[in-house]
Amino acid sequence: MMTIAMSGGTRMRIMIIGAGSLGLLFAAKLSALCEHLTVIARTKEQADQLVQEGIKLGGTTEPHRTTRGGFIEFSHYQEDKESVATATAPVHPYDYIFLMVKQPAITKELVQYIDSRRSEITYLVSFQNGIGHEADLSENDRGNKLLLAVTTEGARRESPTEVSHTGHGVTYIGASNCTDPDHKKSTHFLLVNLLEEAGFRAEMSKNMEVRIWSKLIINAVINPLTAILHVKNGELLESTWTKELMFDLYREACFLAEAKDIKLPDALWQTIITVCEATSRNHSSMLQDIEQSRPTEIDRINGSLLQMADELNLELPTHRTVYRLVKALE
Ligand SMILES: NC(=O)C1=CN([C@@H]2O[C@H](COP(=O)(O)OP(=O)(O)OC[C@H]3O[C@@H](n4cnc5c(N)ncnc54)[C@H](OP(=O)(O)O)[C@@H]3O)[C@@H](O)[C@H]2O)C=CC1
Ligand SMILES: CC(C)(CO)C(=O)C(=O)O
């Protein structure tokens, strides 16, 4: 039987793991609309600061600071194997857990932690760019409760408590496994409504493979070039040299997709240009990582494409070059 993933009335209980760019943006926008919203930062210091100051949201969105119009709680991740092992499922279960950390942060310990915070009604929604993480997350996924989200929103964390909304996009959500019967019955329309009420464009998608591949290619084209050249997304369009590099990356990725029988949308190249325009002031997440000396997601973006190409004995020379350059920068 289909269970409507709601714990009370039309208000939802949501946990956001990761108080970075995307986590703070979604938390700031959802805080007044949820019955309960828990934000998990990596450190106690950041969680304490968020308790004191709330989240300050700026950028292309009407500026505001979170209030307790809804109920927002800040906590932090504890990599304490004992407490994870003994943790009991929350008395008031979460309807959704949004996983908003970078790919390299999805460790075995974090997966265990997530598991200890879920109940049988809780859906895990994974927002990562790239591919590969869904395999780690679905290992413990009892009952097809893993959803994948693909978003073209742009966000940048300015300080532990401040975030800028740097570009409006669309968020597609769909089951990682299309045998999920709930998904077919559109269980998640309330989630989509909630996101829309919060000011995001959101849609359920029955074809996440194409969405994921499309976003993978968008990121494989935009992210390494912005990181290598230290430019904002929009600046890539200002030079024919960068546009040619973008097109080479795009063409090679399409060649691989075709070899794998993935039917990409005809307008994907135009979409890449549109994303650059819509997020023109954005520092891509890979550029932000390089600027802050953090590991990037290159392994799960261009690295994944190269791995698949190797398996098929295909060459993706431009991807190989940008992969090496980003690794060198890391
Ligand atoms: N930013 C953007 O515009 C977009 C991002 N994405 C994707 O969304 C995902 C998140 O990106 P983004 O928000 O930019 O990344 P950020 O690096 O800004 O944020 C990730 C956050 O996760 C935190 N974190 C790491 N490990 C843990 C943990 N164990 N428990 C709790 N929190 C943890 C980090 O903490 P700390 O800072 O303390 O290390 C950081 O605050 C990525 O996969 C990215 O590709 C997709 C579309 C757009
Ligand atoms: C869409 C884009 C390129 C927005 O910056 C992004 O997903 C990212 O930065 O990782």
Side-chain angles (χ1 to χ4, degrees):
M1 214 184 71
M2 180 179 79
T3 42
I4 296 286
M6 292 290 295
S7 52
T10 53
R11 310 273 282 176
M12 286 194 189
R13 299 177 61 82
I14 292 182
M15 173 183 269
I16 294 181
I17 301 182
S21 305
L22 219 51
L24 289 180
L25 170 69
F26 276 71
K29 292 226 173 214
L30 289 172
S31 68
L33 303 172
C34 290
E35 178 191 305
H36 187 103
L37 178 69
T38 303
V39 180
I40 304 292
R42 186 178 59 81
T43 62
K44 181 171 185 316
E45 292 69 35
Q46 190 192 1
D48 289 347
Q49 237 179 306
L50 285 163
V51 169
Q52 294 298 319
E53 298 170 26
I55 303 168
K56 190 176 167 206
L57 175 65
T60 57
T61 293
E62 195 63 22
H64 80 272
R65 193 179 282 276
T66 52
T67 62
R68 293 192 173 254
F71 187 80
I72 184 163
E73 175 195 20
F74 299 101
S75 186
H76 66 285
Y77 171 69
Q78 285 162 300
E79 200 179 306
D80 172 348
K81 291 201 175 84
E82 234 170 78
S83 73
V84 167
T86 54
T88 47
V91 183
H92 300 294
Y94 292 100
D95 298 298
Y96 293 94
I97 295 180
F98 290 180
L99 183 59
M100 292 179 156
V101 301
K102 291 260 168 66
Q103 293 260 13
I106 305 180
T107 57
K108 221 172 174 172
E109 289 74 25
L110 181 62
V111 173
Q112 276 176 357
Y113 174 89
I114 295 166
D115 228 35
S116 70
R117 265 68 187 167
R118 287 170 85 173
S119 83
E120 67 217 8
I121 70 152
T122 312
Y123 278 88
L124 175 64
V125 193
S126 149
F127 278 78
Q128 285 63 44
N129 280 333
I131 52 174
H133 55 287
E134 65 283 3
D136 301 332
L137 296 171
S138 57
E139 242 175 57
N140 286 351
D141 183 34
R142 295 153 299 179
N144 291 328
K145 290 281 187 284
L146 174 63
L147 296 174
L148 301 176
V150 167
T151 184
T152 45
E153 293 293 340
R156 187 176 65 238
R157 189 176 81 176
E158 309 287 3
S159 79
T161 61
E162 283 174 68
V163 63
S164 294
H165 195 180
T166 49
H168 293 265
V170 187
T171 302
Y172 295 101
I173 300 174
S176 70
N177 174 349
C178 277
T179 58
D180 175 4
D182 288 352
H183 174 67
K184 285 191 190 125
K185 291 180 191 163
S186 304
T187 307
H188 308 289
F189 72 95
L190 291 169
L191 176 64
V192 169
N193 285 354
L194 180 81
L195 291 172
E196 298 232 307
E197 212 185 316
F200 297 109
R201 270 182 65 204
E203 268 179 43
M204 287 306 292
S205 171
K206 284 200 180 132
N207 196 354
M208 286 307 282
E209 186 178 53
V210 170
R211 301 274 177 217
I212 287 166
W213 264 84
S214 302
K215 185 69 199 301
L216 175 65
I217 294 177
I218 293 171
N219 289 124
V221 171
I222 299 175
N223 293 24
L225 292 179
T226 52
I228 294 163
L229 297 166
H230 276 265
V231 293
K232 295 177 190 166
N233 295 352
E235 289 178 87
L236 287 179
L237 305 179
E238 289 171 12
S239 143
T240 47
W241 296 100
T242 45
K243 272 173 107 176
E244 273 173 28
L245 278 166
M246 288 170 72
F247 195 72
D248 286 347
L249 288 167
Y250 165 72
R251 200 176 32 82
E252 288 174 16
C254 290
F255 173 56
L256 173 66
E258 204 180 322
K260 290 186 73 69
D261 213 15
I262 311 276
K263 305 263 175 287
L264 294 170
D266 292 338
L268 186 54
W269 171 246
Q270 188 47 48
T271 305
I272 295 172
I273 305 291
T274 309
V275 170
C276 282
E277 286 164 354
T279 62
S280 63
R281 296 186 317 122
N282 199 22
H283 289 215
S284 76
S285 51
M286 199 170 284
L287 173 57
Q288 291 177 47
D289 287 335
I290 292 294
E291 285 168 338
Q292 286 160 47
S293 306
R294 294 182 305 220
T296 71
E297 295 182 298
I298 192 82
D299 281 314
R300 292 290 168 94
I301 301 177
N302 305 76
S304 300
L305 294 174
L306 287 169
Q307 204 181 326
M308 289 184 273
D310 284 347
E311 284 160 15
L312 296 171
N313 272 328
L314 298 175
E315 287 294 326
L316 308 181
T318 320
H319 285 276
R320 181 128 356 241
T321 302
V322 295
Y323 177 82
R324 287 177 173 156
L325 284 167
V326 172
K327 280 293 182 191
L329 283 171
E330 270 185 5

